[in-house]
Amino acid sequence: QLQAFGGGSVQAGGCLRLSCKGSRSMFSVFAGAAAGWYRQPPGKERELVALLTSSSTTTYADSVKGRFTVSRDNSKRMVYLQMNVLKPEDTAVYYCYLQLSEGYGGSQHWGQGTEVTVSS
């Protein structure tokens, strides 16, 4: 129900923009959901990168603050992650994430993952 795209390989200092689209079945629930991105570096646990609530509150991992920006377009059921000044340690599989509001059960949904490789 979530499809992520936009990953790729880039040199350190470069930028990428990840996009994630929710399916049509999410039309009525998308705007009220928290949406964002997690990542899983090679050999490590999945970790939060950025989260944007329905009230526009943002949460960022300390490691990406000032470099990454999460945004959304509810009318298109889209979530974005603009990644600037990329570092080799940003190399990971990135997963888009959606958590429905409590009124819709609070369920969590994950995209299929898109790989980002940053070379030094």
Side-chain angles (χ1 to χ4, degrees), residues 98-120:
L98 198 74
Q99 182 172 21
L100 304 190
S101 66
E102 290 300 319
Y104 287 99
S107 59
Q108 300 179 35
H109 302 265
W110 297 91
Q112 82 282 11
T114 183
E115 192 166 355
V116 172
T117 302
V118 184
S119 58
S120 57

Side-chain angles (χ1 to χ4, degrees), residues 33-53:
W37 297 86
Y38 281 70
R39 69 185 179 187
Q40 187 165 14
K44 297 184 178 180
E45 297 291 319
R46 191 175 297 189
E47 62 186 15
L48 173 68
V49 177
L51 193 66
L52 177 58
T53 70

